[in-house]
Each structure stands twice: as structure tokens, then as C-alpha cells.
């Protein structure tokens, strides 16, 4: 029972199957007329391309002209960064979205912290002048981290992935939605072992065989057949009652 509750919490309630799912969940639960979301997501996958960003805006129903995306490494000074992101906090009738992406974030911990500070400052100044009927600006940091550990001797390699205060922090291994043919982790937990060894489409045929009595116990045999490119693989499950 506890395992089922934890599984439900991880796979359903936390909504971190992709960056789109994660954003949709928090935007739907976000309180209207508040100060806007502050989100930091770390990931092992590549950063979003321009095409993927356009698709993201469409999925969360934010107009492209109300969204901005910058790569953190493209700024030379703190002033350059502030001047670039400041227009994202200008007041509009609808909500806006500011995305800051950072590659190899484990090497830029101080730069990311500085960027968050500047975003907090610009956001606070804008919210002081915002009227209730105006929209707000949601901020999303997407930070790429390597899968392998980094050199412990390098002080610049330290990175704090979770923030406090108003920031929502999460880690999503792959910020892109899984392909339809891919087997997700929650599906793998309930899949037969044969499915895990074959990375190809399959069809399933299940039938329950007649129960057999053995020494007073009823033996229920369940046979499951899978077809992989014309080859049949059988799984047989036996439950003794």
C-alpha cells in the first residue's frame, strides 16, 4: 500500500514527465493575480531549441510575442543581463513567460545565482507597479547538468540544485516528452520481463488456462503471448491459492 502511494505521488501528482507537463501543472494550480511563478529545472538532456520553444509556448497557451528565452552564457556582464530581461517584466494584459537556459550548469553555479538575484530584483520592482487586472511574468530556469560526477578538486563545479523561498525546484531527466513507442518507467514497473528485453512494437494476446487441482490447492495458470516481428514469446504466470 505504501509503495502504491509513493508510486502515485511520483508518477501522477508531481507531473514531471516533461517540461511541458510540469509547466502546465503549475500554471493550472497557480493563483491568479499573484506575483508569478519562479521555477528552476535541472536536466541531463539537451536544452530546448527554437522550434521546441515555439511548441512549448503553444502547449501552455502563451503567445510567442509574450515569451522570451535567453542563453545565460551569452551575457558578458550583470548589467547586460538586467537590460535584456527587464522588458520581460513590463506590464501586459496577459501573463508572460521568461526562460533562461544554461548549458553545463555545474560550471556556472555563481553565474546562475547572480542571474536569479537579478531576476528577483526586476520582478519585485515590476510587481510594485503592477495593477490587479494586469498579467504577471512567470520565470523558468532550465539548467543542463552532466550525468557523470565532476572533478571534486574544481571549486567551480559545485552546484546547488534546489532553492528555497518562492522558487520551485525540480529535476527532470529528459525535459522532452517520451516517444509514443518508448517504455516509460511507470509502465516498466507493471510490464512483463519479456517486454523489457525487446525494444520494438508488440501485440499482446492473453488467455487464462483451466485451473488444475494439486493436493487440494487450486493452481491458476495465466499464459500471455507476445509477438515480436512475427516471433511469439510466452509468459506464464502461476498463482496458487
Amino acid at each position: 500500500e505504501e509503495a502504491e502511494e509513493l508510486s502515485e505521488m511520483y508518477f501522477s501528482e508531481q507531473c514531471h514527465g516533461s517540461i511541458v507537463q510540469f509547466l502546465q501543472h503549475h500554471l493550472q494550480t497557480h493563483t491568479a493575480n499573484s506575483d508569478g511563478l519562479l521555477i528552476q529545472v535541472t536536466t541531463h538532456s539537451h536544452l530546448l531549441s527554437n522550434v521546441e520553444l515555439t511548441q512549448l509556448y503553444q502547449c501552455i497557451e502563451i503567445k510567442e510575442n509574450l515569451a522570451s528565452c535567453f542563453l545565460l552564457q551569452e551575457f558578458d556582464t550583470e548589467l547586460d543581463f538586467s537590460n535584456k530581461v527587464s522588458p520581460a517584466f513590463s506590464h501586459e494584459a496577459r501573463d508572460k513567460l521568461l526562460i533562461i537556459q544554461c548549458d553545463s550548469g555545474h560550471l556556472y553555479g555563481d553565474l546562475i545565482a547572480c542571474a536569479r538575484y537579478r531576476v528577483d530584483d526586476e520582478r519585485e520592482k515590476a510587481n510594485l507597479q503592477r495593477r490587479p487586472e494586469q498579467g504577471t511574468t512567470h520565470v523558468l530556469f532550465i539548467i543542463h547538468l552532466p550525468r557523470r560526477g565532476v572533478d571534486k578538486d574544481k571549486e567551480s563545479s559545485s552546484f546547488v540544485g534546489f532553492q528555497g523561498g518562492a522558487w520551485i525546484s525540480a529535476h527532470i531527466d529528459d525535459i522532452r516528452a517520451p516517444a509514443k513507442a518508448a517504455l516509460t518507467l511507470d509502465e516498466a514497473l507493471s510490464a512483463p520481463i519479456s517486454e523489457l528485453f525487446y525494444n520494438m512494437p508488440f501485440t499482446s494476446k492473453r488467455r487464462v488456462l483451466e485451473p488444475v487441482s494439486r493436493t487440494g490447492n487450486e493452481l491458476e495458470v495465466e499464459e500471455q503471448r507476445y509477438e515480436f516481428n512475427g516471433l511469439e514469446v510466452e509468459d506464464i504466470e502461476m498463482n496458487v491459492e
Side-chain angles (χ1 to χ4, degrees), residues 47-66:
L47 300 177
L48 297 176
S49 66
N50 290 333
V51 173
E52 291 171 325
L53 286 168
T54 301
Q55 294 172 346
L56 171 65
Y57 304 148
Q58 294 173 350
C59 290
I60 62 176
E61 299 181 351
I62 286 184
K63 291 185 177 180
E64 195 166 352
N65 64 325
L66 297 178

Side-chain angles (χ1 to χ4, degrees), residues 221-238:
V221 182
E222 185 175 7
E223 177 188 54
Q224 187 155 341
R225 292 178 179 270
Y226 296 93
E227 291 185 1
F228 297 92
N229 288 354
L231 299 178
E232 283 196 352
V233 180
E234 293 186 6
D235 275 353
I236 297 180
E237 300 178 2
M238 293 184 294

Side-chain angles (χ1 to χ4, degrees), residues 73-91:
Q73 285 92 335
E74 70 184 63
F75 301 103
D76 295 325
T77 66
E78 184 177 339
L79 182 60
D80 289 340
F81 178 79
S82 295
N83 290 338
K84 199 72 173 180
V85 302
S86 179
F89 293 95
S90 61
H91 302 301

Side-chain angles (χ1 to χ4, degrees), residues 35 38 87 94 111 181 186-187 193 216 226 232:
D35 294 337
L38 293 173
R94 301 186 61 180
L111 183 61
D186 56 329
E187 292 171 342
I193 192 68
Y226 296 93
E232 283 196 352

Side-chain angles (χ1 to χ4, degrees), residues 75-146:
F75 301 103
D76 295 325
T77 66
E78 184 177 339
L79 182 60
D80 289 340
F81 178 79
S82 295
N83 290 338
K84 199 72 173 180
V85 302
S86 179
F89 293 95
S90 61
H91 302 301
E92 301 285 348
R94 301 186 61 180
D95 286 358
K96 303 171 72 174
L97 176 65
L98 171 64
I99 299 179
I100 306 295
Q101 298 197 105
C102 180
D103 199 10
S104 302
H106 62 293
L107 300 177
Y108 297 98
D110 292 340
L111 183 61
I112 294 169
C114 179
R116 279 196 307 263
Y117 174 79
R118 296 310 312 160
V119 164
D120 282 334
D121 185 56
E122 294 292 340
R123 176 174 174 267
E124 184 177 355
K125 289 189 296 184
N127 285 335
L128 289 174
Q129 303 173 4
R130 183 172 63 90
R131 296 193 299 270
E133 67 273 13
Q134 293 177 320
T136 188
T137 300
H138 306 295
V139 180
L140 170 65
F141 276 67
I142 302 177
I143 302 170
H144 166 264
L145 297 176

